[in-house]
Amino acid sequence: MIEAGTKLRLRFAKEGRAVYISHLDLMRTMQRAFLRAGYPLKYSEGFNPHPVISILLPLGVGAASVCELMDFSLTAPLDEAELPERLTAAMPEGVRALEVYPGGRKVKELKWLELEGVFEYDARDPAEMAAGLRDFFARPSIVITKKTKRGTGESDIAPAIRFLSFSPDEKRVLLRGVISAQEPTLNPEHLANALRQLAPELAPDFAEFRRLEVCDAEMKVFR
Amino acid sequence: MDPRLKRILPKVQKPARYTGGEYNQTVKDKDQVELRCALCFPDTYEIGMSNLGMRILYHTINSMPGVWCERCFAPWEDMETELRAAGLPLYALESGDPLKDFDALGFPIGYEMAYTTVLNMLDLAGLPVRSADRPDLLPLVFAGGTSCCNPEPMADFLDLMVIGEGEALDNEVLELLRTAKREGWTKQTYLRAAARIPGVWVPSLYQPEYDEDERFTGLTPLSGAPETVTKRIVEDFENSPFPTKQIVPSTEIVHDRVNLELFRGCIRGCRFCQAGQVYRPVRARSAEKLIQQGIESLQATGYQEITLSSLSSSDYRELGQLCDGLLDYCVPRSIGLALPSLRADNFSMDLMQRVQKVRKSGLTFAPEAGTQRLRDAINKNVREEDLLESCRVAFAGGWNNVKLYFMLGLPTETDEDVVGIAKVAEDVYRLWREHAVNKARGVRITVSTSCFIPKPHTPFQWAPMVTKEEYLRRVKLLRSSIRSRAIVYNWHDAETSEIEGVLSRGDRRVGAVIEAVWRKGGRLEAWSDFFDHARWMAAFEACGVNPDDYTLRPRAAGEPFPWERVNMGVTRRHLWREWELTQEDRLSPDCRAGCVGCGARALLGCCPDHDVEMGGESA
């Protein structure tokens, strides 16, 4: 049992149809799921109390993950072994609570993101594409144009890529890799955007990504 | 998930509304299911999931063993474009299966401006929009909801309509369809058999007749269809199904909260109000039951807000007890309680302060008309002194935001009545100056007007609308009569009202106009983004239909109406008597003060002058 008021960290998966739930909607969904499961979230004090929950690394709409982390506290003691099953039962399809534990490392120590992806090619040879992709992402500098709040800006994404591998199958190229999660943050969508901007002949007809694990600067699993 | 859909979703706004998978959705094993039904709401997910009727029907249909009911909503413009470009037919959210493979598609239609959307959804599903062009029994395309109380405008598109309350009737229609499917009936055989179920209207079994001046003269029943179809209602409302395990959308919807239905029907007899007439007789749930349903719903959904809904919540006898019971649960859990549709005449400081414990919202009143004479003529039983007293209490209690709703163009309205609206608003402002506890915060009084639209099955079904030009003249008159800067005046455009006026009292010929508008791109027209008045005018022209004939023409006492063969409980005799009282500026009592013999009690098989009970058995 964990004492009431302890800082807790939840690891959860967001897959299937749930990948289309936006970050903001997920926060609302979490609040409601905790209530449904009978876990009283601790609220902030003040004029407009709201549950103090924080998702460490917001996930883009359309991307899946099996390593999402969320910090929260409860106003009641917690049987941590029981939480994953009970909370998952209160979630929409595709969101699964995996484990909960007290504390957790400081957010700023989170550095790398392990991911996999699928690049779909409707009318091109995946083996040829995979070869091209390996060459492209081996470039020392990959400068792309990004839309920011103040118009557009240029950014080199190459330093944010630690490692990427590409393996073709029938109609697709499967991607595995490690990219920077923080400072700088690299949204995996920019891997496909880089191709659209700099090497359209390699740009996939459709790309999707899945977060597999979060790691610290030494590539040790972050918890 | 369909790989084509997977590619579309990242490109559209708010994709979560097109995926299903929400908490509490119903999923059944396809192999164990004999009949598959989809409720197709002709508006967006955010609107449709906020509709209590949709949630009740989803629950009651899914309570049938072997029947699986799913949901579908109208896609927004971007999604429609993507679906059409990808050649992906409209699908149901739970299974993702195309609608055209279903056995029954049910459209809840509560608003006439949704008609073009019904056609568009059929087309997106890959189905012909006209019933006659769908020779097969399956999928059966049916509809229900308030708009069906005039079945004629949509008669050519729908196979069947359910008149009255769907939870009292839909399951019978589907049970017969299950038999028809199993035994391989033709569509014709099924429809003729279905027409014998009380409350079922089969449009193809009624032939509209017109005279040499092309004036509608009546509907002739064919193939043994009943002379009149009487609406079905839930008789035991206390124990009627109410889903407490409701779907919780994973994306924000319009009414993102628990919605408790206090009672159905309305004791008031406002002569302009279709809901107040067609949902009669009044049937209430006990406070005890409602508190239990409210708490269960909050627990099952995790919602942090609950609202009370009905046509006039302050007429609920046990309102104090209900609020206390709910607040006992809500306050310690920071759950908000909202009270909409309060009337000005019995609004109390006490109730306000109790609700205020959790959240303080603005106040909304609907006096509807600017003078007592006109309020009496429309039978809006609100006296100006009651409204002002309510505002005085509210201002003294710290409120500083009041919204006042009115209609322009009501029958018998004169310029004096229009200017009277400004006077009411100025009086409210004066009260604020006299009674406000904190004047430094200022006050905001909002006056809104909409254009009156006569509706079928109301005493005003005989009344003409005013022209758009006349409505705007009255808007200008009112605007120039408002002096105070604290009063903000908003008016709705009259163009939508004009079209809604035609569709409300239209006959079958209006169906061709609906189709013509849809063919030119009309859909989602309840949204100003997509409403195009010129497109309607062009369609009227092309179809040889004169809209003024439906909106501006006063109806004669004995004139046959396209909705004549639908019996909503309230008799034509009663409606005509109320229309006559309008001309004399005379009020009728509400159901509690005395029975006016409207006829609706007969639906319960009771003596018509039996006293109406509100708030359950103990009341």
Side-chain angles (χ1 to χ4, degrees):
Chain A
M1 292 294 276
I2 301 174
E3 241 177 85
T6 312
K7 281 189 173 176
L8 298 168
R9 183 165 286 172
L10 170 74
R11 187 165 64 90
F12 66 97
K14 185 167 174 274
E15 301 166 290
R17 299 199 245 190
V19 304
Y20 301 102
I21 302 174
S22 70
H23 175 69
L24 201 67
D25 285 335
L26 182 65
M27 300 282 275
R28 243 192 305 266
T29 297
M30 282 290 179
Q31 290 179 30
R32 290 174 184 161
F34 272 81
L35 280 172
R36 296 192 286 254
Y39 292 118
L41 284 170
K42 195 175 162 195
Y43 272 64
S44 67
E45 303 194 349
F47 188 70
N48 189 12
H50 56 275
V52 199
I53 62 175
S54 147
I55 293 175
L56 268 58
L57 215 55
L59 182 66
V61 173
S65 173
V66 291
C67 59
E68 292 304 284
L69 298 174
M70 184 185 103
D71 288 351
F72 65 101
S73 302
L74 298 180
T75 57
L78 170 72
D79 176 354
E80 68 266 42
E82 186 198 63
L83 180 134
E85 198 183 331
R86 207 165 114 189
L87 189 58
T88 301
M91 288 288 184
E93 188 186 302
V95 182
R96 281 183 298 131
L98 302 173
E99 63 168 336
V100 63
Y101 48 89
R105 293 176 66 181
K106 289 195 178 98
V107 182
K108 64 175 186 195
E109 292 170 13
L110 196 164
K111 171 62 185 164
W112 297 107
L113 182 65
E114 238 184 284
L115 81 167
E116 63 180 14
V118 177
F119 284 4
E120 293 182 6
Y121 296 96
D122 295 340
R124 280 171 284 177
D125 175 31
E128 209 176 289
M129 289 299 114
L133 289 167
R134 281 179 212 117
D135 288 348
F136 178 86
F137 285 104
R139 291 182 191 180
S141 142
I142 303 170
V143 180
I144 63 164
T145 311
K146 280 187 193 171
K147 273 187 204 152
T148 64
K149 280 172 195 163
R150 288 182 220 156
T152 54
E154 296 216 317
S155 155
D156 184 2
I157 64 166
I161 300 171
R162 185 180 174 114
F163 146 82
L164 280 180
S165 76
F166 297 94
S167 48
D169 78 4
E170 211 173 316
K171 282 197 87 171
R172 317 175 300 173
V173 173
L174 306 179
L175 165 159
R176 277 299 284 258
V178 175
I179 63 172
S180 176
Q182 295 197 103
E183 292 179 9
T185 300
L186 175 58
N187 180 342
E189 284 295 330
H190 285 313
L191 299 175
N193 287 341
L195 295 165
R196 285 182 201 115
Q197 290 178 20
L198 304 171
E201 69 283 0
L202 294 171
D205 294 299
F206 181 68
E208 59 180 336
F209 301 93
R210 167 186 299 263
R211 286 179 177 175
L212 298 176
E213 193 54 276
V214 277
C215 300
D216 65 11
E218 276 75 50
M219 280 305 291
K220 290 201 190 89
V221 170
F222 177 92
R223 284 292 180 265
Chain B
M1 186 176 285
D2 189 296
R4 291 172 294 178
L5 184 59
K6 215 171 178 177
R7 288 196 184 186
I8 288 174
L9 288 173
K11 298 193 222 170
V12 301
Q13 293 173 48
K14 304 184 200 160
R17 55 188 165 166
Y18 304 119
T19 61
E22 309 95 316
Y23 181 72
N24 273 342
Q25 72 169 4
T26 299
V27 173
K28 297 192 182 182
D29 178 358
K30 279 188 218 178
D31 297 334
Q32 306 293 316
V33 164
E34 295 166 282
L35 198 78
R36 295 186 64 184
C37 169
L39 285 174
C40 304
F41 195 88
D43 207 320
T44 60
Y45 179 88
E46 294 90 320
I47 303 285
M49 283 304 293
S50 302
N51 185 286
L52 190 57
M54 181 86 178
R55 288 172 176 274
I56 293 171
L57 295 178
Y58 183 76
H59 172 74
T60 50
I61 297 174
N62 273 321
S63 70
M64 295 173 78
V67 177
W68 184 14
C69 178
E70 304 185 40
R71 296 161 297 145
C72 179
F73 301 89
W76 194 247
E77 186 181 37
D78 56 348
M79 183 62 172
E80 178 180 346
T81 306
E82 295 291 346
L83 286 171
R84 288 191 187 276
L88 195 63
L90 199 58
Y91 57 90
L93 293 185
E94 282 77 358
S95 64
D97 290 338
L99 291 182
K100 61 176 181 330
D101 298 340
F102 277 64
D103 301 312
L105 305 177
F107 288 87
I109 314 179
Y111 184 40
E112 294 83 356
M113 296 312 291
Y115 286 162
T116 51
T117 310
V118 173
L119 270 54
N120 200 45
M121 289 176 79
L122 287 172
D123 184 61
L124 280 166
L127 294 166
V129 297
R130 288 188 168 256
S131 174
D133 297 333
R134 298 186 301 263
D136 298 334
L137 171 64
L138 306 175
L140 178 80
V141 177
F142 72 108
T146 323
S147 298
C148 292
C149 72
N150 175 11
E152 281 300 279
M154 289 294 279
D156 286 333
F157 312 110
L158 301 167
D159 301 331
L160 182 152
M161 299 187 205
V162 289
I163 308 296
E165 295 166 2
E167 70 264 51
L169 176 56
D170 286 359
N171 289 14
E172 283 175 45
V173 170
L174 294 171
E175 201 54 70
L176 185 69
L177 188 64
R178 168 151 50 184
T179 304
K181 182 188 177 187
R182 193 189 302 131
E183 298 178 0
W185 297 5
T186 64
K187 183 170 175 177
Q188 184 79 300
T189 308
Y190 171 77
L191 290 177
R192 284 183 189 182
R196 287 197 283 272
I197 300 174
V200 167
W201 178 271
V202 176
S204 57
L205 298 183
Y206 295 88
Q207 174 69 44
E209 313 286 353
Y210 309 95
D211 64 14
E212 57 275 16
D213 298 329
E214 298 196 354
R215 186 130 298 166
F216 174 83
T217 56
L219 291 174
T220 306
L222 309 172
S223 312
E227 295 278 325
T228 54
V229 170
T230 300
K231 75 164 178 183
R232 291 280 290 276
I233 59 165
V234 170
E235 291 180 24
D236 181 7
F237 188 65
E238 172 79 357
N239 296 305
S240 73
F242 180 81
T244 51
K245 284 200 173 71
Q246 292 191 13
I247 294 175
V248 185
S250 304
T251 182
E252 198 170 14
I253 59 168
V254 179
H255 297 298
D256 217 359
R257 55 187 80 99
V258 170
N259 203 333
L260 271 189
E261 191 182 12
L262 309 190
F263 60 91
R264 218 167 269 181
C266 185
I267 61 164
R268 313 277 162 177
C270 300
R271 291 174 183 140
F272 55 86
C273 178
Q274 190 180 39
Q277 303 288 342
V278 305
Y279 287 107
R280 289 182 168 209
V282 173
R283 292 143 291 153
R285 281 200 180 104
S286 65
E288 192 189 355
K289 185 88 163 191
L290 288 165
I291 293 166
Q292 175 208 330
Q293 288 177 343
I295 293 172
E296 271 176 31
S297 303
L298 287 166
Q299 287 169 341
T301 59
Y303 271 129
Q304 286 286 80
E305 196 176 345
I306 182 165
T307 188
L308 307 181
S309 95
S310 72
L311 290 170
S312 179
S313 295
S314 50
D315 284 331
Y316 181 63
R317 278 205 174 132
E318 300 174 70
L319 188 59
Q321 192 190 329
L322 173 63
C323 288
D324 284 344
L326 289 173
L327 287 170
D328 283 347
Y329 182 84
C330 294
V331 172
R333 293 168 180 82
S334 301
I335 295 172
L337 170 65
L339 287 179
S341 75
L342 288 178
R343 283 176 64 90
D345 55 355
N346 46 13
F347 186 79
S348 74
M349 183 72 179
D350 177 44
L351 186 59
M352 234 165 36
Q353 281 178 334
R354 275 188 277 168
V355 174
Q356 190 190 328
K357 272 192 213 159
V358 180
R359 200 165 293 161
K360 192 184 240 178
S361 54
L363 287 177
T364 303
F365 296 114
E368 312 291 4
T371 61
Q372 198 57 48
R373 192 225 34 101
L374 186 53
R375 279 192 296 274
D376 289 349
I378 64 174
N379 206 35
K380 181 84 189 182
N381 279 292
V382 169
R383 291 179 308 160
E384 188 152 334
E385 49 266 42
D386 295 326
L387 167 72
L388 295 178
E389 173 61 13
S390 296
C391 289
R392 188 193 62 75
V393 169
F395 292 140
W399 263 261
N400 54 5
N401 189 352
V402 176
K403 288 182 190 161
L404 300 168
Y405 286 97
F406 298 90
M407 275 186 276
L408 290 176
L410 285 162
T412 77
E413 185 179 64
T414 63
D415 284 1
E416 193 189 332
D417 301 309
V418 176
V419 174
I421 294 174
K423 194 183 156 293
V424 171
E426 297 285 355
D427 284 346
V428 170
Y429 177 55
R430 180 180 49 76
L431 277 172
W432 175 79
R433 278 185 317 198
E434 288 168 11
H435 298 281
V437 284
N438 184 358
K439 284 202 189 120
R441 290 173 64 196
V443 64
R444 191 178 174 89
I445 298 163
T446 310
V447 172
S448 299
T449 64
S450 59
C451 181
F452 163 70
I453 302 164
K455 294 277 178 168
H457 302 282
T458 68
F460 290 173
Q461 61 185 351
W462 286 277
M465 279 177 78
V466 295
T467 62
K468 293 194 296 291
E469 295 71 25
E470 175 58 20
Y471 173 74
L472 284 177
R473 189 192 65 81
R474 294 185 194 184
V475 165
K476 279 185 196 145
L477 174 62
L478 173 53
R479 193 174 50 177
S480 65
S481 309
I482 294 172
R483 303 253 175 265
S484 164
R485 282 208 194 159
I487 303 170
V488 180
Y489 175 36
N490 301 320
W491 61 94
H492 295 270
D493 80 287
E495 292 193 329
T496 311
S497 308
E498 182 189 19
I499 305 307
E500 193 186 327
V502 177
L503 298 176
S504 295
R505 293 190 295 172
D507 53 37
R508 203 170 294 195
R509 291 169 295 192
V510 168
V513 180
I514 295 168
E515 185 176 350
V517 167
W518 165 69
R519 289 204 182 276
K520 294 280 184 198
R523 82 277 188 254
L524 293 178
E525 289 194 290
W527 298 80
S528 57
D529 316 44
F530 301 113
F531 175 74
D532 182 347
H533 186 257
R535 186 162 54 199
W536 281 96
M537 287 300 143
F540 286 128
E541 181 84 35
C543 299
V545 168
N546 177 10
D548 296 350
D549 197 46
Y550 296 91
T551 52
L552 304 181
R553 189 173 58 82
R555 310 296 207 269
E559 180 168 337
F561 292 127
W563 52 93
E564 204 66 63
R565 292 191 179 277
V566 173
N567 172 16
M568 297 304 285
V570 177
T571 63
R572 181 172 178 136
R573 195 170 58 94
H574 167 72
L575 296 175
W576 179 257
R577 196 164 56 219
E578 288 288 305
W579 177 232
E580 286 182 322
L581 290 173
T582 302
Q583 319 306 321
E584 299 163 21
D585 303 335
R586 280 171 59 197
L587 286 166
S588 283
D590 67 49
C591 295
R592 276 197 195 132
C595 182
V596 291
C598 71
R601 291 287 293 180
L603 296 169
L604 293 173
C606 296
C607 161
D609 53 15
H610 187 279
D611 206 27
V612 172
E613 287 297 325
M614 290 278 299
E617 291 168 7
S618 58

